[in-house]
Amino acid sequence: MKNKGFTTQLVHADRLLNSPENGAVHQATNNSVLFEFKDAQGIVDVFQGKKAGHVYGRSSTGSAAALQNILNHLEGGVGAVTFSTGMAAITSTMLSLFKAGDHIIVSHFLFGNTRSLTETMESLGIQLSFVDVTDVRNVENAFRDNTKAVYLETIANPVTQVADLPCIGRFCQQKGLVFIVDSTMTPPNMFDAKAVLASLTISSLTKYLSGHGNVLGGAVVDTGLFDWRQFDNILDIYQGADPTLWGLTQIRKRGLRDMGATLSPQAAHDISIGLETLVMRTDKTCNNALRIASYLHNHPKVAAVYYPGLADHPQHFLAREYFKGYGGILSFDLVEDIDPIAFLNALELVICATHLGDTRTLALPVASTIYFESSEEERDEMGINDNMIRMSIGIEDSDDLVADFEQAFSQF
């Protein structure tokens, strides 16, 4: 399928990669928890990793394996593991690969729930340095002898800072660090993780990849660019014949199997269905977002707009070079005399909800919701003020979205 267009690959991926039975175009959803072996040696071989197969639904199913094949194909990787949520994917990866005494450089702009996870990691003895990842020099200055990895998001939520991806990737390669990139905001049709030398990509399948706000999921894909033989945290038992699979095997065993955040067969099926329209949805979303950002940028009742597609965004040219589109997330600050709660209540089409990557346009007040647990000082450091509204732009007709903003602004 490599010589086909991206949308063609998406539409036919399940049929061609997984060869469903009886002429089906989608892999059948298999809800069995247990799997019978007529020959007992078979279950031994699967348990010991000598043969591929399924032994227990918490560890693997045919439905999850089919989705993993698709996700790995889209990223051009060596393998993928799926989880019940995006946070489960992040947590399982971090706690599977790193231990007390290790040091990780992480983005200062991490989303709220991920930032909360880092507090748990620190309580377990994992050392963290929070840096501004829009400049590789900050990453270089944070490097220590015990540094194992760099973890960041392509586009930060909610202020849309874009990480210095290519330079950080080259630095990680030079130092032998695992470069973990959360690409949720930039799915594989928009961003080539291998081009910036990412080792692992993590994504919330809940967002753009499934796209309809009806299913939760997460995934980790190994790009094959990191040499796991130089990573001394891989347990001997997971050092199989193929070193490119060592990291993912440890994540699968110590993360998915031991921690149990399993993606259900029905969720895997729903996500694979949503994937088919990924390009059409993200193309429309990016076009809509750029129009809305430009409209807000010129509105007298808006103090600031944060969107990589605007020419005055600090990382606009980096985003233009490495992303195919500028994404569907944007934030803006209302002028001081407009209450964000009252403004959101005045919107009629835009939905007040916490989610991203939906087909519908969503908005919420940032400081009082997803960042209410952060101190005022922490919010200031991340560029979040009390009048900020975050939006996830959908696929509606852009004229209707502009009209909704017009009627809402007219009330103030």
Side-chain angles (χ1 to χ4, degrees):
M1 292 208 298
K2 286 292 186 182
N3 62 341
K4 301 293 192 297
F6 201 91
T7 297
T8 301
Q9 293 184 50
L10 285 170
V11 171
H12 293 278
D14 210 354
R15 178 177 70 88
L16 297 180
L17 292 176
N18 299 311
S19 302
E21 294 181 351
N22 304 315
V25 296
H26 283 289
Q27 182 77 6
T29 303
N30 190 323
N31 294 302
S32 184
V33 173
L34 66 157
F35 300 89
E36 180 185 11
F37 289 82
K38 298 294 186 181
D39 180 353
Q41 185 61 44
I43 196 170
V44 172
D45 290 343
V46 175
F47 258 96
Q48 294 183 4
K50 297 175 181 177
K51 290 184 178 179
H54 310 294
V55 295
Y56 193 64
R58 170 164 41 82
S59 298
S60 66
T61 63
S63 301
L67 177 60
Q68 288 164 181
N69 287 341
I70 297 171
L71 297 172
N72 182 56
H73 173 78
L74 298 180
E75 296 278 14
V78 296
V81 183
T82 53
F83 297 86
S84 57
T85 67
M87 282 306 304
I90 297 169
T91 301
S92 296
T93 298
M94 293 300 177
L95 299 187
S96 296
L97 294 181
F98 307 109
K99 64 182 189 302
D102 289 342
H103 174 246
I104 306 174
I105 302 169
V106 299
S107 170
H108 183 70
F109 310 114
L110 287 181
F111 177 60
N113 291 141
T114 312
R115 185 65 180 256
S116 180
L117 171 64
T118 61
E119 296 174 5
T120 301
M121 293 169 62
E122 288 181 312
S123 74
L124 297 174
I126 300 171
Q127 302 167 19
L128 302 176
S129 292
F130 296 89
V131 305
D132 180 346
V133 292
T134 62
D135 188 336
V136 68
R137 290 172 294 186
N138 299 321
V139 176
E140 294 169 345
N141 292 337
F143 178 78
R144 304 175 187 172
D145 290 340
N146 61 333
T147 302
K148 296 284 189 181
V150 175
Y151 172 64
L152 51 76
E153 300 156 336
T154 53
I155 301 177
N157 171 15
V159 194
T160 73
Q161 297 94 340
V162 178
D164 192 359
L165 293 159
C167 293
I168 294 174
R170 287 192 291 271
F171 176 75
C172 288
Q173 188 178 63
Q174 292 165 6
K175 296 294 185 179
L177 305 178
V178 184
F179 186 24
I180 307 173
V181 176
D182 187 321
S183 58
T184 298
M185 297 297 102
T186 52
N189 63 307
M190 292 177 56
F191 168 63
D192 180 1
K194 295 179 74 171
V196 299
L197 305 177
S199 309
L200 300 172
T201 65
I202 297 182
S203 59
S204 171
L205 303 177
T206 313
K207 309 302 192 299
Y208 292 100
L209 288 167
S210 57
H212 296 82
N214 64 337
V215 61
L216 296 167
V220 179
V221 178
D222 190 324
T223 65
L225 298 181
F226 185 76
D227 184 358
W228 293 102
R229 291 172 296 186
Q230 65 182 323
F231 190 73
D232 55 15
N233 285 357
I234 301 296
L235 301 181
D236 291 344
I237 195 172
Y238 302 136
Q239 295 183 20
D242 186 355
T244 62
L245 299 178
W246 289 4
L248 212 58
T249 298
Q250 185 153 305
I251 293 170
R252 188 186 301 276
K253 299 292 188 179
R254 301 190 74 188
L256 177 62
R257 183 195 64 187
D258 294 356
M259 299 179 195
T262 306
L263 183 70
S264 73
Q266 185 60 50
H269 175 76
D270 291 343
I271 292 165
S272 69
I273 297 292
L275 272 170
E276 293 183 357
T277 58
L278 173 65
V279 175
M280 290 180 287
R281 288 185 285 103
T282 53
D283 282 354
K284 184 67 184 294
T285 291
C286 290
N287 290 336
N288 280 355
L290 183 57
R291 181 176 180 194
I292 297 302
S294 299
Y295 162 80
L296 293 170
H297 189 261
N298 294 312
H299 202 286
K301 295 179 181 178
V302 173
V305 181
Y306 309 93
Y307 184 65
L310 296 177
D312 61 356
H313 187 283
Q315 293 88 45
H316 170 71
F317 292 101
L318 181 66
R320 189 172 73 177
E321 182 174 359
Y322 284 93
F323 303 148
K324 296 177 182 177
Y326 300 104
I329 179 176
L330 68 85
S331 295
F332 65 97
D333 298 333
L334 292 163
V335 293
E336 290 187 5
D337 60 343
I338 299 180
D339 175 43
I341 303 296
F343 180 79
L344 287 169
N345 288 340
L347 292 168
E348 297 174 353
L349 181 64
V350 176
I351 299 171
C352 181
T354 178
H355 182 44
L356 296 169
D358 199 79
T359 52
R360 294 151 285 249
T361 297
L362 316 174
L364 85 168
V366 175
S368 57
T369 57
I370 53 177
Y371 279 92
F372 85 97
E373 293 184 11
S374 301
S375 67
E376 185 175 352
E377 181 181 2
E378 289 173 331
R379 290 197 295 268
D380 286 343
E381 289 175 352
M382 289 183 278
I384 299 168
N385 65 52
D386 292 341
N387 267 25
M388 177 176 284
I389 290 175
R390 186 197 72 186
M391 300 192 66
S392 172
I393 304 299
I395 62 172
E396 301 96 338
D397 294 308
S398 60
D399 287 346
D400 294 327
L401 294 173
V402 171
D404 195 29
F405 275 102
E406 284 286 280
Q407 66 81 24
F409 277 123
S410 70
Q411 301 179 41
F412 298 91

PDB file of all heavy atoms in Angstrom, residues 30 44-45 51 73 83 115 117 121 142 145 156 161 189 201 209 225 229 242 287 290 296 320 332 369 375 387 394:
ATOM      1  N   ASN A  30     -13.821  -9.511  18.337  1.00  0.00           N
ATOM      2  CA  ASN A  30     -13.759 -10.758  19.104  1.00  0.00           C
ATOM      3  C   ASN A  30     -13.735 -10.424  20.584  1.00  0.00           C
ATOM      4  O   ASN A  30     -12.779  -9.857  21.089  1.00  0.00           O
ATOM      5  CB  ASN A  30     -12.513 -11.551  18.706  1.00  0.00           C
ATOM      6  CG  ASN A  30     -12.500 -12.953  19.287  1.00  0.00           C
ATOM      7  OD1 ASN A  30     -12.937 -13.173  20.406  1.00  0.00           O
ATOM      8  ND2 ASN A  30     -11.990 -13.908  18.521  1.00  0.00           N
ATOM      9  N   VAL A  44       2.321 -22.635  25.575  1.00  0.00           N
ATOM     10  CA  VAL A  44       3.669 -22.426  26.108  1.00  0.00           C
ATOM     11  C   VAL A  44       4.479 -21.528  25.176  1.00  0.00           C
ATOM     12  O   VAL A  44       5.133 -20.572  25.600  1.00  0.00           O
ATOM     13  CB  VAL A  44       4.385 -23.780  26.305  1.00  0.00           C
ATOM     14  CG1 VAL A  44       5.853 -23.559  26.684  1.00  0.00           C
ATOM     15  CG2 VAL A  44       3.688 -24.601  27.372  1.00  0.00           C
ATOM     16  N   ASP A  45       4.409 -21.809  23.879  1.00  0.00           N
ATOM     17  CA  ASP A  45       5.183 -21.039  22.902  1.00  0.00           C
ATOM     18  C   ASP A  45       4.750 -19.581  22.851  1.00  0.00           C
ATOM     19  O   ASP A  45       5.588 -18.678  22.700  1.00  0.00           O
ATOM     20  CB  ASP A  45       5.038 -21.672  21.514  1.00  0.00           C
ATOM     21  CG  ASP A  45       5.752 -23.014  21.406  1.00  0.00           C
ATOM     22  OD1 ASP A  45       6.606 -23.304  22.269  1.00  0.00           O
ATOM     23  OD2 ASP A  45       5.437 -23.770  20.462  1.00  0.00           O
ATOM     24  N   LYS A  51       6.096 -17.796  19.556  1.00  0.00           N
ATOM     25  CA  LYS A  51       5.099 -17.693  18.498  1.00  0.00           C
ATOM     26  C   LYS A  51       4.146 -16.549  18.811  1.00  0.00           C
ATOM     27  O   LYS A  51       3.907 -16.229  19.970  1.00  0.00           O
ATOM     28  CB  LYS A  51       4.306 -18.996  18.363  1.00  0.00           C
ATOM     29  CG  LYS A  51       5.074 -20.160  17.796  1.00  0.00           C
ATOM     30  CD  LYS A  51       4.155 -21.368  17.611  1.00  0.00           C
ATOM     31  CE  LYS A  51       4.902 -22.546  16.990  1.00  0.00           C
ATOM     32  NZ  LYS A  51       3.997 -23.730  16.827  1.00  0.00           N
ATOM     33  N   HIS A  73       1.494   0.821  10.610  1.00  0.00           N
ATOM     34  CA  HIS A  73       1.667   1.080   9.177  1.00  0.00           C
ATOM     35  C   HIS A  73       1.671   2.580   8.884  1.00  0.00           C
ATOM     36  O   HIS A  73       2.498   3.079   8.108  1.00  0.00           O
ATOM     37  CB  HIS A  73       0.556   0.386   8.397  1.00  0.00           C
ATOM     38  CG  HIS A  73       0.544   0.724   6.945  1.00  0.00           C
ATOM     39  ND1 HIS A  73       1.423   0.175   6.027  1.00  0.00           N
ATOM     40  CD2 HIS A  73      -0.235   1.589   6.233  1.00  0.00           C
ATOM     41  CE1 HIS A  73       1.193   0.678   4.836  1.00  0.00           C
ATOM     42  NE2 HIS A  73       0.194   1.531   4.913  1.00  0.00           N
ATOM     43  N   PHE A  83      -3.960   0.941  24.158  1.00  0.00           N
ATOM     44  CA  PHE A  83      -4.387   0.997  25.549  1.00  0.00           C
ATOM     45  C   PHE A  83      -5.809   1.554  25.621  1.00  0.00           C
ATOM     46  O   PHE A  83      -6.335   2.072  24.637  1.00  0.00           O
ATOM     47  CB  PHE A  83      -3.446   1.892  26.359  1.00  0.00           C
ATOM     48  CG  PHE A  83      -2.026   1.391  26.417  1.00  0.00           C
ATOM     49  CD1 PHE A  83      -1.123   1.706  25.416  1.00  0.00           C
ATOM     50  CD2 PHE A  83      -1.599   0.607  27.471  1.00  0.00           C
ATOM     51  CE1 PHE A  83       0.184   1.239  25.451  1.00  0.00           C
ATOM     52  CE2 PHE A  83      -0.291   0.137  27.529  1.00  0.00           C
ATOM     53  CZ  PHE A  83       0.597   0.455  26.515  1.00  0.00           C
ATOM     54  N   ARG A 115       0.816  16.480  33.338  1.00  0.00           N
ATOM     55  CA  ARG A 115       1.612  17.172  34.354  1.00  0.00           C
ATOM     56  C   ARG A 115       1.343  16.575  35.733  1.00  0.00           C
ATOM     57  O   ARG A 115       2.254  16.412  36.555  1.00  0.00           O
ATOM     58  CB  ARG A 115       1.287  18.672  34.337  1.00  0.00           C
ATOM     59  CG  ARG A 115       2.135  19.538  35.277  1.00  0.00           C
ATOM     60  CD  ARG A 115       3.593  19.542  34.854  1.00  0.00           C
ATOM     61  NE  ARG A 115       4.402  20.372  35.741  1.00  0.00           N
ATOM     62  CZ  ARG A 115       4.852  21.576  35.425  1.00  0.00           C
ATOM     63  NH1 ARG A 115       4.571  22.079  34.238  1.00  0.00           N
ATOM     64  NH2 ARG A 115       5.583  22.264  36.273  1.00  0.00           N
ATOM     65  N   LEU A 117       0.546  13.470  36.277  1.00  0.00           N
ATOM     66  CA  LEU A 117       1.249  12.183  36.297  1.00  0.00           C
ATOM     67  C   LEU A 117       2.712  12.366  36.666  1.00  0.00           C
ATOM     68  O   LEU A 117       3.293  11.516  37.362  1.00  0.00           O
ATOM     69  CB  LEU A 117       1.133  11.504  34.931  1.00  0.00           C
ATOM     70  CG  LEU A 117       1.993  10.248  34.734  1.00  0.00           C
ATOM     71  CD1 LEU A 117       1.576   9.139  35.679  1.00  0.00           C
ATOM     72  CD2 LEU A 117       1.925   9.773  33.274  1.00  0.00           C
ATOM     73  N   MET A 121       5.322  10.319  39.175  1.00  0.00           N
ATOM     74  CA  MET A 121       6.625   9.799  38.780  1.00  0.00           C
ATOM     75  C   MET A 121       7.713  10.283  39.730  1.00  0.00           C
ATOM     76  O   MET A 121       8.587   9.509  40.144  1.00  0.00           O
ATOM     77  CB  MET A 121       6.933  10.226  37.341  1.00  0.00           C
ATOM     78  CG  MET A 121       6.019   9.578  36.303  1.00  0.00           C
ATOM     79  SD  MET A 121       6.163  10.329  34.646  1.00  0.00           S
ATOM     80  CE  MET A 121       7.883   9.987  34.273  1.00  0.00           C
ATOM     81  N   ALA A 142      19.610  21.139  30.357  1.00  0.00           N
ATOM     82  CA  ALA A 142      19.018  20.292  31.402  1.00  0.00           C
ATOM     83  C   ALA A 142      19.613  18.887  31.420  1.00  0.00           C
ATOM     84  O   ALA A 142      19.330  18.106  32.330  1.00  0.00           O
ATOM     85  CB  ALA A 142      17.508  20.201  31.191  1.00  0.00           C
ATOM     86  N   ASP A 145      24.103  13.303  33.491  1.00  0.00           N
ATOM     87  CA  ASP A 145      24.700  11.992  33.222  1.00  0.00           C
ATOM     88  C   ASP A 145      23.661  10.878  33.289  1.00  0.00           C
ATOM     89  O   ASP A 145      23.806   9.843  32.610  1.00  0.00           O
ATOM     90  CB  ASP A 145      25.823  11.704  34.217  1.00  0.00           C
ATOM     91  CG  ASP A 145      27.052  12.580  33.985  1.00  0.00           C
ATOM     92  OD1 ASP A 145      27.179  13.119  32.871  1.00  0.00           O
ATOM     93  OD2 ASP A 145      27.868  12.725  34.915  1.00  0.00           O
ATOM     94  N   ALA A 156       1.454  22.185  22.117  1.00  0.00           N
ATOM     95  CA  ALA A 156       1.011  22.185  23.512  1.00  0.00           C
ATOM     96  C   ALA A 156      -0.447  22.607  23.626  1.00  0.00           C
ATOM     97  O   ALA A 156      -0.954  23.391  22.824  1.00  0.00           O
ATOM     98  CB  ALA A 156       1.902  23.106  24.340  1.00  0.00           C
ATOM     99  N   GLN A 161       2.147  26.165  22.003  1.00  0.00           N
ATOM    100  CA  GLN A 161       3.580  26.252  21.744  1.00  0.00           C
ATOM    101  C   GLN A 161       4.012  25.017  20.946  1.00  0.00           C
ATOM    102  O   GLN A 161       3.582  23.900  21.211  1.00  0.00           O
ATOM    103  CB  GLN A 161       4.369  26.302  23.059  1.00  0.00           C
ATOM    104  CG  GLN A 161       4.093  27.512  23.927  1.00  0.00           C
ATOM    105  CD  GLN A 161       3.022  27.257  24.976  1.00  0.00           C
ATOM    106  OE1 GLN A 161       2.218  26.333  24.848  1.00  0.00           O
ATOM    107  NE2 GLN A 161       3.016  28.058  26.031  1.00  0.00           N
ATOM    108  N   ASN A 189      -1.155  11.809   9.342  1.00  0.00           N
ATOM    109  CA  ASN A 189      -1.343  12.473   8.046  1.00  0.00           C
ATOM    110  C   ASN A 189      -0.836  13.911   8.073  1.00  0.00           C
ATOM    111  O   ASN A 189      -0.610  14.521   7.032  1.00  0.00           O
ATOM    112  CB  ASN A 189      -2.814  12.454   7.632  1.00  0.00           C
ATOM    113  CG  ASN A 189      -3.698  13.210   8.593  1.00  0.00           C
ATOM    114  OD1 ASN A 189      -3.680  12.963   9.794  1.00  0.00           O
ATOM    115  ND2 ASN A 189      -4.498  14.136   8.093  1.00  0.00           N
ATOM    116  N   THR A 201       6.189   7.329  19.513  1.00  0.00           N
ATOM    117  CA  THR A 201       5.089   8.288  19.482  1.00  0.00           C
ATOM    118  C   THR A 201       3.988   7.772  20.388  1.00  0.00           C
ATOM    119  O   THR A 201       3.719   6.565  20.441  1.00  0.00           O
ATOM    120  CB  THR A 201       4.523   8.480  18.066  1.00  0.00           C
ATOM    121  OG1 THR A 201       3.927   7.261  17.612  1.00  0.00           O
ATOM    122  CG2 THR A 201       5.597   8.923  17.098  1.00  0.00           C
ATOM    123  N   LEU A 209      -7.754  10.682  15.803  1.00  0.00           N
ATOM    124  CA  LEU A 209      -7.692   9.414  15.095  1.00  0.00           C
ATOM    125  C   LEU A 209      -9.051   8.725  15.035  1.00  0.00           C
ATOM    126  O   LEU A 209      -9.447   8.199  14.001  1.00  0.00           O
ATOM    127  CB  LEU A 209      -6.635   8.508  15.728  1.00  0.00           C
ATOM    128  CG  LEU A 209      -5.196   8.974  15.450  1.00  0.00           C
ATOM    129  CD1 LEU A 209      -4.210   8.249  16.346  1.00  0.00           C
ATOM    130  CD2 LEU A 209      -4.830   8.757  13.996  1.00  0.00           C
ATOM    131  N   LEU A 225      13.748   3.765  15.252  1.00  0.00           N
ATOM    132  CA  LEU A 225      14.956   4.589  15.130  1.00  0.00           C
ATOM    133  C   LEU A 225      15.870   4.523  16.351  1.00  0.00           C
ATOM    134  O   LEU A 225      17.027   4.941  16.273  1.00  0.00           O
ATOM    135  CB  LEU A 225      14.563   6.052  14.871  1.00  0.00           C
ATOM    136  CG  LEU A 225      13.793   6.326  13.576  1.00  0.00           C
ATOM    137  CD1 LEU A 225      13.489   7.812  13.453  1.00  0.00           C
ATOM    138  CD2 LEU A 225      14.575   5.836  12.368  1.00  0.00           C
ATOM    139  N   ARG A 229      19.519  -1.565  22.486  1.00  0.00           N
ATOM    140  CA  ARG A 229      20.685  -2.229  23.078  1.00  0.00           C
ATOM    141  C   ARG A 229      21.490  -1.272  23.954  1.00  0.00           C
ATOM    142  O   ARG A 229      22.233  -1.722  24.843  1.00  0.00           O
ATOM    143  CB  ARG A 229      21.572  -2.818  21.978  1.00  0.00           C
ATOM    144  CG  ARG A 229      20.947  -3.992  21.241  1.00  0.00           C
ATOM    145  CD  ARG A 229      21.760  -4.418  20.043  1.00  0.00           C
ATOM    146  NE  ARG A 229      21.811  -3.372  19.026  1.00  0.00           N
ATOM    147  CZ  ARG A 229      22.354  -3.511  17.820  1.00  0.00           C
ATOM    148  NH1 ARG A 229      22.898  -4.681  17.483  1.00  0.00           N
ATOM    149  NH2 ARG A 229      22.347  -2.525  16.950  1.00  0.00           N
ATOM    150  N   ASP A 242      15.309  -9.869  18.267  1.00  0.00           N
ATOM    151  CA  ASP A 242      15.230  -8.628  17.494  1.00  0.00           C
ATOM    152  C   ASP A 242      15.281  -7.426  18.442  1.00  0.00           C
ATOM    153  O   ASP A 242      14.288  -7.105  19.086  1.00  0.00           O
ATOM    154  CB  ASP A 242      13.940  -8.601  16.679  1.00  0.00           C
ATOM    155  CG  ASP A 242      13.860  -7.398  15.742  1.00  0.00           C
ATOM    156  OD1 ASP A 242      14.762  -6.531  15.800  1.00  0.00           O
ATOM    157  OD2 ASP A 242      12.897  -7.335  14.955  1.00  0.00           O
ATOM    158  N   ASN A 287      -8.603  23.986   8.110  1.00  0.00           N
ATOM    159  CA  ASN A 287      -9.095  25.143   7.348  1.00  0.00           C
ATOM    160  C   ASN A 287     -10.013  26.010   8.202  1.00  0.00           C
ATOM    161  O   ASN A 287      -9.906  27.248   8.198  1.00  0.00           O
ATOM    162  CB  ASN A 287      -9.832  24.672   6.089  1.00  0.00           C
ATOM    163  CG  ASN A 287      -8.903  24.083   5.053  1.00  0.00           C
ATOM    164  OD1 ASN A 287      -7.708  24.391   5.030  1.00  0.00           O
ATOM    165  ND2 ASN A 287      -9.424  23.227   4.191  1.00  0.00           N
ATOM    166  N   LEU A 290      -7.968  27.906  10.960  1.00  0.00           N
ATOM    167  CA  LEU A 290      -7.232  29.067  10.465  1.00  0.00           C
ATOM    168  C   LEU A 290      -8.172  30.247  10.230  1.00  0.00           C
ATOM    169  O   LEU A 290      -7.835  31.393  10.551  1.00  0.00           O
ATOM    170  CB  LEU A 290      -6.493  28.709   9.176  1.00  0.00           C
ATOM    171  CG  LEU A 290      -5.617  29.806   8.582  1.00  0.00           C
ATOM    172  CD1 LEU A 290      -4.576  30.287   9.588  1.00  0.00           C
ATOM    173  CD2 LEU A 290      -4.940  29.314   7.309  1.00  0.00           C
ATOM    174  N   LEU A 296     -10.698  35.946  14.923  1.00  0.00           N
ATOM    175  CA  LEU A 296     -10.517  36.378  16.305  1.00  0.00           C
ATOM    176  C   LEU A 296      -9.327  37.318  16.437  1.00  0.00           C
ATOM    177  O   LEU A 296      -9.345  38.266  17.241  1.00  0.00           O
ATOM    178  CB  LEU A 296     -10.308  35.151  17.208  1.00  0.00           C
ATOM    179  CG  LEU A 296     -11.510  34.218  17.368  1.00  0.00           C
ATOM    180  CD1 LEU A 296     -11.096  32.934  18.089  1.00  0.00           C
ATOM    181  CD2 LEU A 296     -12.642  34.914  18.145  1.00  0.00           C
ATOM    182  N   ARG A 320       4.963  25.379   9.996  1.00  0.00           N
ATOM    183  CA  ARG A 320       4.742  25.352   8.550  1.00  0.00           C
ATOM    184  C   ARG A 320       5.644  24.322   7.882  1.00  0.00           C
ATOM    185  O   ARG A 320       5.242  23.667   6.905  1.00  0.00           O
ATOM    186  CB  ARG A 320       4.982  26.742   7.955  1.00  0.00           C
ATOM    187  CG  ARG A 320       4.563  26.850   6.493  1.00  0.00           C
ATOM    188  CD  ARG A 320       4.621  28.281   6.004  1.00  0.00           C
ATOM    189  NE  ARG A 320       5.992  28.744   5.822  1.00  0.00           N
ATOM    190  CZ  ARG A 320       6.314  29.946   5.353  1.00  0.00           C
ATOM    191  NH1 ARG A 320       5.352  30.825   5.054  1.00  0.00           N
ATOM    192  NH2 ARG A 320       7.568  30.302   5.210  1.00  0.00           N
ATOM    193  N   PHE A 332      -7.762  31.695  22.869  1.00  0.00           N
ATOM    194  CA  PHE A 332      -7.746  33.159  22.767  1.00  0.00           C
ATOM    195  C   PHE A 332      -8.109  33.768  24.112  1.00  0.00           C
ATOM    196  O   PHE A 332      -8.796  33.159  24.936  1.00  0.00           O
ATOM    197  CB  PHE A 332      -8.688  33.653  21.665  1.00  0.00           C
ATOM    198  CG  PHE A 332     -10.156  33.373  21.898  1.00  0.00           C
ATOM    199  CD1 PHE A 332     -10.999  34.345  22.443  1.00  0.00           C
ATOM    200  CD2 PHE A 332     -10.707  32.152  21.542  1.00  0.00           C
ATOM    201  CE1 PHE A 332     -12.346  34.097  22.637  1.00  0.00           C
ATOM    202  CE2 PHE A 332     -12.054  31.898  21.734  1.00  0.00           C
ATOM    203  CZ  PHE A 332     -12.885  32.873  22.277  1.00  0.00           C
ATOM    204  N   THR A 369     -11.081  25.376  34.750  1.00  0.00           N
ATOM    205  CA  THR A 369     -11.474  23.981  34.510  1.00  0.00           C
ATOM    206  C   THR A 369     -10.237  23.079  34.458  1.00  0.00           C
ATOM    207  O   THR A 369      -9.801  22.555  35.467  1.00  0.00           O
ATOM    208  CB  THR A 369     -12.290  23.846  33.209  1.00  0.00           C
ATOM    209  OG1 THR A 369     -11.522  24.375  32.101  1.00  0.00           O
ATOM    210  CG2 THR A 369     -13.604  24.589  33.315  1.00  0.00           C
ATOM    211  N   SER A 375      -1.417  26.244  40.321  1.00  0.00           N
ATOM    212  CA  SER A 375      -1.351  27.525  41.019  1.00  0.00           C
ATOM    213  C   SER A 375      -1.353  28.660  40.004  1.00  0.00           C
ATOM    214  O   SER A 375      -1.086  28.458  38.805  1.00  0.00           O
ATOM    215  CB  SER A 375      -0.081  27.595  41.867  1.00  0.00           C
ATOM    216  OG  SER A 375       1.071  27.626  41.036  1.00  0.00           O
ATOM    217  N   ASN A 387      -8.781  34.876  31.517  1.00  0.00           N
ATOM    218  CA  ASN A 387      -9.743  35.156  30.447  1.00  0.00           C
ATOM    219  C   ASN A 387      -9.533  34.286  29.207  1.00  0.00           C
ATOM    220  O   ASN A 387     -10.077  34.570  28.144  1.00  0.00           O
ATOM    221  CB  ASN A 387      -9.664  36.637  30.038  1.00  0.00           C
ATOM    222  CG  ASN A 387     -10.677  37.473  30.797  1.00  0.00           C
ATOM    223  OD1 ASN A 387     -11.104  37.107  31.885  1.00  0.00           O
ATOM    224  ND2 ASN A 387     -11.082  38.590  30.226  1.00  0.00           N
ATOM    225  N   GLY A 394     -14.215  22.130  14.914  1.00  0.00           N
ATOM    226  CA  GLY A 394     -14.801  20.977  14.259  1.00  0.00           C
ATOM    227  C   GLY A 394     -14.895  21.143  12.752  1.00  0.00           C
ATOM    228  O   GLY A 394     -14.180  21.946  12.150  1.00  0.00           O
TER     229      GLY A 394
END
